[in-house]
Amino acid sequence: MQKLYLYLLIIFISSISATDYYVSNNGNDNNAGTVDNPFLTIQKAADVMSAGDICYIRQGNYHEVVSMNNNDGSESAPLIFSAYENERVLLDGTVLLESSWEVYSGNIWKTTLDFPVWQLFSNRQEMVMARWPNANFEDGSIWDKENHWGHGTIDEDENAYTNGEFIDEPHGSVDLAASGLDITGAIAILNVGSFKTWTRRILTHSGNTFTYDPVPDWKTKHHDYFLEGKLDFLDVEGEWFLDTLTNDLYFWPPGNSNPNNLQIRGKVQSYAFDISNSDYIGIQNLEFFGTTFKITNGEYTRIEGCNFWYPSCYKRMLGIIDIQPDMSLITGSSNCIVYKCAFRYTDGSALEIYSNNNTIEDCYFYHIDYTATDLNGLMTTIQMGGSANIFRRNTMHKMGASATLNPGNEALIELNNIYDSGYMQSDGSLIQCMVGQQPNVEIRYNWLHDTIKYGSRFDGNGAGNNGLMHHNVIWNVQGGIMIKGYEHMLYNNTAFDNGDKNDIIVMIDQGGNDGTETRNNAANKIAGHRSGNYEDYPVPGTYDHNWNGYETNSDIKDMLVDPENFDFRPIQGSALIDSGIVIEDVTGDYIGSAPDIGAYEYGGDHWVPGISWDLEGTFGTVFNEVQGLYNTNDQSAIPVNYKLFPAFPNPFNPVTTIQYDIPIDSEVLLLVYDIQGRLVKTLVNTNQSAGYKSIRWNGMNDYGQSVSAGMYFYHLQAIGYSKVRKMVLLK
């Protein structure tokens, strides 16, 4: 009893000693960090926080890199960074490019930057690095490798050229020699390794032939490429190019519009949170644009409820090649959780986690690795190293890499909906387990479908063993389930309509699958070969209680309720019902006299994989600007400098808000001018006390008339201070 009292006392003392800190766009780092006197920066809060403290971030945009080192929470008192209540907090790795644009040539505009950028956005939409052959995001051609990449020539003996030399094979409108381009010195994105893609500088070029420094793992098949890194490639709207020697930025705006009337932003930052050697850290309910997080040697990190737009991008525009982008990363960190987050529009892996006992759960991944270049290992969308990781209830689609998930050792992979993947590379599968990862891995209750790759695979040279796959549904993929090795367990899967390959492939060669058990599976084509039939290639190992279309000469879909609408349960009276065998820890919850064959039990749970929450209702499907919160309860905090902030939203229709800081009592003049320099509206013309100010403009002039759409300038004047910014009114 005495120990219990002591424990409760410790908890009580911890609870009353923890501090809530607040951060706001109208704060000041000299403040106390309270709700009425917030800090200005998240970094200030991070610098003073200790175990149990929470940093509440008020609505608005924040552009900073929050660095932490050796600052731990504890199991009962984590250190948390969170949006305040239901307010939107945007961590922005981009900056507004405020330099003026001039016509360079034709529809191409030019400006000079003070700093380099490696990703460009127009009105928060990603623009395309100038490339050949052309492709763009708007019509999805960025994913069309067949028509928007160059193809290599390979003769019947697959030896038309060697590693380090590429011969373009003209197809459609893609013809390197006919383009008239000199591509010497350009950056080539080269898929010359089947499931691997590299970047290389082009050394020489003549006609349809160019050379490059050789790559590892070169293969004599499936050679494809596209080019970046030269101004000559900028020839269609939506493309851009940065001359890294002069910082001259060239841009062909979408719709041939004037970029001075657009919100042009450039990526200048990799990480909003860079945390090392810090345990029990929580990051929750924050929105990221053009930036992400890196956790190094941080046990028990939890990333929850965060929304990532464009979290990472290659730095090829800066001339940096043969290297991965700075991506979302947790490394050297065990027992970490990424929960109910969305990752969208990234080139590179969506997320990499290395070490043990980590979990990715209930997350959404979309539009990932559209070049799939220079990635780790097999080249994957999700890379999980270490052991005993969990990948659960995630939705993933529109991905380019050869393998979608590489789970690490002894992993649990369950209740995921994965589809529409693998476009930029050859070979691979949605779930890819190499030899060392197969013992004690469990892959269960997943939907794997509609892709040009295999569904799930135990791969390698046949040495893998003791992997378990059960209760998965696989359809419309290149090949359903592929099993190499021996002593695997394959139970209660449903597979159909998987092209020329078999639905379930238990390979006779490459290990021979001695001791492998194939039981209770329902598929149209089950055999011991990729494409050969069951009669010629019977399934090795133990094979019984399966429904195999090769044997029944019928279609498994006729045994299912409504497979076209994702109802894969057996129909009433189906031959699948009560026809299976009891398998310990796999089919114990059966209904009737025996387990059913296939992934669903008649009368049992109608499980549906993928995220449990509504994407549109939670995060939305398009990015919207974050309106800042101004004029909070902070009236006592005084800014240290004059400051005029960017208007929000901008562009706007019909109202925008202008925020400004006044450090001393001043005569303040805030005026709006049109592009001809004519006064349009006097917003402020009075003496104001020191403080954080804001005012709204509704697009009306001094006469109460609505002004026309276009660019306007707002000018703040006070004692010893003058600043002009621009804003765009849309109609």
Side-chain angles (χ1 to χ4, degrees):
M1 182 63 70
Q2 187 176 5
K3 290 183 178 179
L4 176 61
Y5 286 142
L6 180 61
Y7 173 76
L8 293 175
L9 179 62
I10 292 171
I11 295 297
F12 175 73
I13 294 172
S14 299
S15 66
I16 63 174
S17 63
T19 302
D20 292 346
Y21 291 102
Y22 294 82
V23 174
S24 174
N25 286 154
N26 68 354
N28 189 307
D29 283 349
N30 293 321
N31 289 346
T34 64
V35 65
D36 293 327
N37 294 278
F39 295 137
L40 177 64
T41 67
I42 306 168
Q43 184 65 62
K44 174 63 178 182
D47 291 341
V48 302
M49 292 170 70
S50 57
D53 293 347
I54 302 175
C55 170
Y56 288 112
I57 310 168
R58 303 303 305 271
Q59 182 164 312
N61 290 10
Y62 297 81
H63 180 76
E64 54 180 300
V65 180
V66 183
S67 298
M68 296 178 64
N69 190 18
N70 290 302
N71 191 1
D72 296 332
S74 67
E75 182 176 7
S76 61
L79 217 154
I80 296 174
F81 299 86
S82 176
Y84 180 73
E85 295 183 345
N86 294 317
E87 297 178 4
R88 275 187 74 197
V89 174
L90 180 68
L91 304 180
D92 197 343
T94 70
V95 296
L96 188 65
L97 305 183
E98 297 186 282
S99 54
S100 60
W101 295 83
E102 298 179 349
V103 174
Y104 169 70
S105 177
N107 294 305
I108 300 173
W109 294 69
K110 173 185 173 183
T111 191
T112 301
L113 304 179
D114 296 326
F115 46 83
V117 301
W118 62 95
Q119 193 175 17
L120 198 74
F121 300 90
S122 176
N123 295 339
R124 296 287 186 175
Q125 298 296 309
E126 185 179 10
M127 301 293 100
V128 179
M129 298 183 207
R131 58 176 279 167
W132 185 92
N134 292 320
N136 62 69
F137 300 104
E138 185 175 359
D139 64 8
S141 56
I142 202 84
W143 294 99
D144 186 356
K145 189 177 175 184
E146 177 62 30
N147 298 301
H148 294 271
W149 287 50
H151 297 173
T153 300
I154 301 176
D155 66 15
E156 295 178 353
D157 297 322
E158 296 188 335
N159 61 2
Y161 48 81
T162 59
N163 192 1
E165 180 185 69
F166 200 108
I167 304 174
D168 178 77
E169 182 178 33
H171 67 287
S173 61
V174 181
D175 185 337
L176 178 59
S179 72
L181 295 168
D182 179 5
I183 66 170
T184 305
I187 298 170
I189 290 78
L190 297 165
N191 181 221
V192 292
S194 185
F195 52 82
K196 290 197 173 187
T197 304
W198 291 271
T199 48
R200 290 291 188 272
R201 287 283 182 188
I202 294 177
L203 304 176
T204 65
H205 168 219
S206 178
N208 272 323
T209 301
F210 61 85
T211 62
Y212 58 91
D213 287 330
V215 302
D217 300 317
W218 184 85
K219 297 181 179 293
T220 55
K221 62 178 182 179
H222 307 306
H223 286 197
D224 305 285
Y225 75 103
F226 70 91
L227 306 172
E228 293 178 341
K230 300 195 80 170
L231 178 58
D232 291 346
F233 301 153
L234 204 170
D235 60 350
V236 293
E237 65 179 79
E239 289 191 336
W240 67 285
F241 177 79
L242 178 69
D243 186 329
T244 56
L245 297 178
T246 63
N247 269 351
D248 288 336
L249 176 63
Y250 302 85
F251 181 38
W252 187 331
N256 298 323
S257 54
N258 185 331
N260 291 298
N261 298 330
L262 302 174
Q263 185 194 72
I264 310 297
R265 308 188 71 86
K267 180 177 174 73
V268 296
Q269 170 185 306
S270 296
Y271 297 112
F273 283 94
D274 190 349
I275 301 174
S276 58
N277 306 305
S278 302
D279 300 336
Y280 293 100
I281 306 297
I283 299 171
Q284 56 190 38
N285 303 325
L286 304 178
E287 195 162 358
F288 296 71
F289 187 97
T291 188
T292 185
F293 62 86
K294 179 172 69 174
I295 313 296
T296 306
N297 299 325
E299 306 288 296
Y300 297 97
T301 297
R302 184 178 180 95
I303 314 293
E304 180 177 353
C306 293
N307 186 16
F308 298 84
W309 300 93
Y310 308 96
S312 66
C313 181
Y314 288 95
K315 295 181 179 178
R316 295 192 300 268
M317 185 59 82
L318 305 182
I320 300 172
I321 63 173
D322 197 23
I323 192 171
Q324 297 187 102
D326 297 324
M327 65 188 69
S328 308
L329 178 65
I330 301 176
T331 183
S333 308
S334 298
N335 302 293
C336 298
I337 298 173
V338 182
Y339 181 66
K340 286 193 174 180
C341 295
F343 297 81
R344 286 175 282 185
Y345 303 104
T346 182
D347 198 14
S349 295
L351 178 60
E352 295 193 359
I353 300 182
Y354 298 98
S355 203
N356 307 321
N357 299 298
N358 297 298
T359 299
I360 302 174
E361 183 171 358
D362 218 359
C363 292
Y364 179 79
F365 301 91
Y366 171 72
H367 206 287
I368 311 295
D369 49 45
Y370 54 85
T371 63
T373 302
D374 300 307
L375 300 177
N376 283 331
L378 182 68
M379 297 201 173
T380 58
T381 302
I382 301 287
Q383 184 81 39
M384 301 186 77
S387 299
N389 297 308
I390 297 173
F391 191 77
R392 174 188 291 133
R393 194 165 282 288
N394 302 291
T395 297
M396 305 181 68
H397 64 122
K398 190 61 74 175
M399 296 157 291
S402 177
T404 301
L405 172 66
N406 194 243
N409 302 328
E410 301 181 334
L412 174 61
I413 306 159
E414 64 178 355
L415 287 167
N416 303 289
N417 186 10
I418 309 176
Y419 58 101
D420 196 24
S421 185
Y423 292 102
M424 301 296 106
Q425 295 177 324
S426 305
D427 210 345
S429 61
L430 297 178
I431 300 174
Q432 185 88 19
C433 294
M434 304 307 294
V435 168
Q437 300 169 337
Q438 293 166 29
N440 301 312
V441 68
E442 185 169 4
I443 303 170
R444 65 187 188 187
Y445 300 103
N446 302 286
W447 287 355
L448 309 172
H449 57 104
D450 296 296
T451 187
I452 61 174
K453 298 295 186 282
Y454 285 89
S456 184
R457 168 172 181 172
F458 292 152
D459 208 357
N461 60 10
N465 64 91
N466 293 105
L468 171 61
M469 290 191 202
H470 67 91
H471 292 93
N472 303 285
V473 185
I474 305 98
W475 73 97
N476 196 28
V477 302
Q478 184 188 64
I481 295 173
M482 166 134 16
I483 304 296
K484 299 179 182 180
Y486 59 98
E487 297 182 355
H488 296 300
M489 293 150 282
L490 193 62
Y491 308 132
N492 288 90
N493 300 285
T494 298
F496 55 88
D497 290 352
N498 293 305
D500 296 332
K501 300 287 196 305
N502 286 318
D503 301 313
I504 297 178
I505 304 161
V506 186
M507 293 288 288
I508 295 175
D509 58 359
Q510 294 185 291
N513 276 294
D514 295 336
T516 291
E517 295 185 2
T518 306
R519 293 176 148 175
N520 295 354
N521 300 285
N524 283 339
K525 297 185 292 183
I526 308 175
H529 189 269
R530 288 179 175 86
S531 56
N533 62 44
Y534 175 75
E535 183 177 359
D536 296 332
Y537 299 95
V539 175
T542 300
Y543 174 85
D544 58 57
H545 295 81
N546 300 287
W547 194 100
N548 187 351
Y550 279 129
E551 299 175 289
T552 64
N553 293 314
S554 54
D555 191 337
I556 187 63
K557 296 192 299 294
D558 295 335
M559 298 288 101
L560 309 177
V561 173
D562 190 4
E564 298 298 322
N565 292 296
F566 312 113
D567 191 338
F568 307 106
R569 294 173 295 176
I571 61 174
Q572 186 176 6
S574 165
L576 305 176
I577 299 172
D578 297 344
S579 297
I581 189 172
V582 175
I583 300 168
E584 188 177 359
D585 298 325
V586 175
T587 60
D589 295 331
Y590 66 88
I591 300 170
S593 60
D596 295 352
I597 292 175
Y600 289 82
E601 182 78 11
Y602 182 78
D605 180 27
H606 185 210
W607 52 270
V608 177
I611 58 173
S612 64
W613 44 278
D614 176 57
L615 176 72
E616 183 170 3
T618 304
F619 293 141
T621 55
V622 296
F623 179 83
N624 293 307
E625 292 288 354
V626 177
Q627 175 68 51
L629 273 186
Y630 310 121
N631 290 334
T632 65
N633 295 326
D634 180 15
Q635 297 300 320
S636 59
I638 304 298
V640 295
N641 295 301
Y642 288 103
K643 191 170 184 179
L644 178 64
F645 293 86
F648 285 100
N650 186 21
F652 70 97
N653 180 21
V655 178
T656 190
T657 299
I658 299 169
Q659 180 201 6
Y660 57 99
D661 296 347
I662 305 295
I664 60 175
D665 295 355
S666 307
E667 286 290 334
V668 177
L669 193 62
L670 182 58
L671 307 172
V672 178
Y673 296 89
D674 65 18
I675 199 167
Q676 282 81 37
R678 297 173 298 198
L679 178 64
V680 172
K681 179 71 176 180
T682 301
L683 296 174
V684 179
N685 185 10
T686 188
N687 186 279
Q688 292 189 320
S689 59
Y692 303 96
K693 312 295 182 180
S694 68
I695 192 167
R696 303 176 78 197
W697 184 46
N698 61 0
M700 305 291 256
N701 63 20
D702 281 331
Y703 303 98
Q705 301 166 328
S706 179
V707 302
S708 60
M711 179 181 294
Y712 292 86
F713 299 89
Y714 56 106
H715 184 193
L716 177 67
Q717 301 175 67
I719 300 174
Y721 181 81
S722 178
K723 177 70 174 179
V724 177
R725 289 184 175 272
K726 57 189 177 185
M727 54 188 171
V728 177
L729 172 63
L730 303 176
K731 295 288 190 177

